[in-house]
Amino acid sequence: MKLIVVRDGGAILFSEFGEQPVKPGDAVLLGANVLCGSEPESFITVTTIYADTDFLLDQLFWQYAGILYDRLEARGLADTIYTEPAQVLHLGEDRAGLLMPWLDEMATLCANGNNRERYARIQALWFSIVDQVAPYVQTSLVRTSPLQRERIRPTLPRHRAFRPIRAEARQARDALHADISHPWTLPELAADVYLSTKQFAHVFADAYGKTPLAYLTMLRVQEMARLLRETDLPVEATGRRVGWRSRNRATEAFRECVGITPSRYRAMSPDGHHVPTNRN
C-alpha cells in the first residue's frame, strides 16, 4: 500500500478513481498493485509511505481481535470494508499540516537506517499519522457484532500465522512477467504449478492482492503506457504488442487502470511522449 501526502504544488492524478486534481492538504491512498499516473501542475512535492500488506493486516487483526478468530480472517475483513483500490483523501491543510513533522522525522529515521534501534518511535509516528488519516478513508459498511458472525468458535482470537509467499504464486508471477503477450488462462497457469484452478486463484490473490488475470492486465497496461510514451506505434499496435487483439479491449483496460484513454495519455505531452507516471 502507498500513502502519498501532497506537501506543495499540485498535479492531476490518473488511476482507478478516474482523473482527479490534488493539492496541499490532500493525500492519495493506493492499494497493492494499483497503477497511478500523474501530470504535475508546474511542480509537486510529496512524501510517500510504503506499507507492507501483511503489516497492515496484522494491525487490522488486533484492531478487531474481539470478533476475528485468527489473523487469516483479517484479510477477508479488509476485502469487505476496504473496497476502493485508489482514493484521494481531502484532509485539509490544517490536518495535513499536523502530519509534516511526523513525516519528516519518520523519513529521517528510515533514511539513516535506524529502523531497528528506533523501531518503537517509527511505530508511534505511523500510528499518529494513521490516526489523522483513517477518518477520511472510504469504507464499506459491515456488521461487526460477535452475535452476527456466521459461526461461533469456542476459542480465543490469538492464533496468527505469518506465511511467506508460496512458491506456486512466485512461479506464476514470473511466468506472467516473462511473456505478458501470451494469451494466459487461469487453467493454464494453475496447471503449470500443479494446483486446482480455485486453489491457485486463492494462492495468487493472497500473495499479490489481485487475481492472476487482473495482475496480467496491470502488467500489460504498464508496458502499453511505456510504448505510448517512448514510441510512435499506433494505439492499436501497442495493444497488440502487449497481448490484446482488440483495440476496444486495450482501451477499456487502460482506462480502468490509468483513468484516461491511451490516446489522451499520449497527447498529454507536447510531443506525445515522456508522460510522467508512477508504477506500483
Side-chain angles (χ1 to χ4, degrees):
M1 185 208 80
K2 278 184 179 180
L3 176 64
I4 306 169
V5 181
V6 181
R7 304 179 68 114
D8 197 7
I12 304 297
L13 295 189
F14 310 95
S15 189
E16 296 184 21
F17 48 60
E19 178 180 342
Q20 289 197 34
V22 292
K23 61 185 185 304
D26 292 338
V28 184
L29 186 64
L30 300 175
N33 293 317
V34 174
L35 298 178
C36 184
S38 66
E39 182 181 17
E41 296 177 328
S42 70
F43 75 96
I44 186 171
T45 304
V46 303
T47 297
T48 303
I49 297 176
Y50 299 83
D52 180 77
T53 302
D54 285 336
F55 170 73
L56 296 176
L57 288 175
D58 188 42
Q59 294 182 352
L60 187 68
F61 167 69
W62 288 111
Q63 182 179 354
Y64 291 94
I67 63 169
L68 296 178
Y69 172 64
D70 58 25
R71 184 181 177 277
L72 299 180
E73 284 195 338
R75 178 176 288 277
L77 178 62
D79 291 340
T80 300
I81 63 178
Y82 299 113
T83 58
E84 296 296 328
Q87 300 183 42
V88 176
L89 314 177
H90 301 294
L91 308 180
E93 292 195 45
D94 290 341
R95 184 177 291 262
L98 295 174
L99 308 183
M100 300 310 169
W102 300 332
L103 292 169
D104 290 340
E105 184 178 356
M106 179 183 286
T108 299
L109 292 175
C110 293
N112 291 339
N114 293 332
N115 304 48
R116 187 175 303 171
E117 293 78 3
R118 302 302 308 278
Y119 174 80
R121 179 56 185 166
I122 293 174
Q123 294 301 298
L125 293 168
W126 165 248
F127 282 116
S128 296
I129 293 168
V130 170
D131 181 56
Q132 297 298 320
V133 171
Y136 292 83
V137 177
Q138 182 177 343
T139 59
S140 301
L141 295 178
V142 60
R143 294 179 298 178
T144 57
S145 168
L147 298 178
Q148 296 170 324
R149 296 174 61 195
E150 293 181 355
R151 55 192 181 277
I152 300 297
R153 302 183 180 91
T155 53
L156 294 176
R158 293 294 181 268
H159 302 292
R160 297 187 298 162
F162 293 89
R163 301 169 301 166
I165 294 177
R166 287 182 53 164
E168 296 93 336
R170 290 198 303 271
Q171 181 179 335
R173 178 185 179 276
D174 291 344
L176 294 176
H177 276 266
D179 190 0
I180 64 172
S181 63
H182 181 77
W184 294 104
T185 64
L186 198 59
E188 180 184 7
L189 289 166
D192 285 346
V193 296
Y194 305 102
L195 293 176
S196 70
T197 300
K198 183 177 180 180
Q199 185 181 13
F200 167 67
H202 174 77
V203 166
F204 193 95
D206 187 57
Y208 298 111
K210 284 183 180 289
T211 65
L213 298 185
Y215 191 91
L216 174 61
T217 296
M218 181 192 72
L219 295 180
R220 287 178 172 179
V221 169
Q222 285 182 330
E223 177 61 13
M224 188 173 174
R226 186 191 69 80
L227 292 172
L228 291 170
R229 293 194 310 270
E230 299 178 4
T231 75
D232 293 320
L233 286 172
V235 171
E236 185 175 359
T238 63
R240 287 199 305 267
R241 179 79 63 91
V242 302
W244 284 307
R245 298 180 180 178
S246 163
R247 172 172 176 150
N248 288 341
R249 173 61 188 131
T251 299
E252 177 186 10
F254 194 94
R255 183 168 49 220
E256 287 178 355
C257 289
V258 183
I260 54 176
T261 65
S263 298
R264 171 111 189 272
Y265 183 87
R266 167 169 277 171
M268 283 169 56
S269 64
D271 60 357
H273 303 308
H274 310 302
V275 180
T277 187
N278 296 320
R279 297 181 180 179
N280 282 325

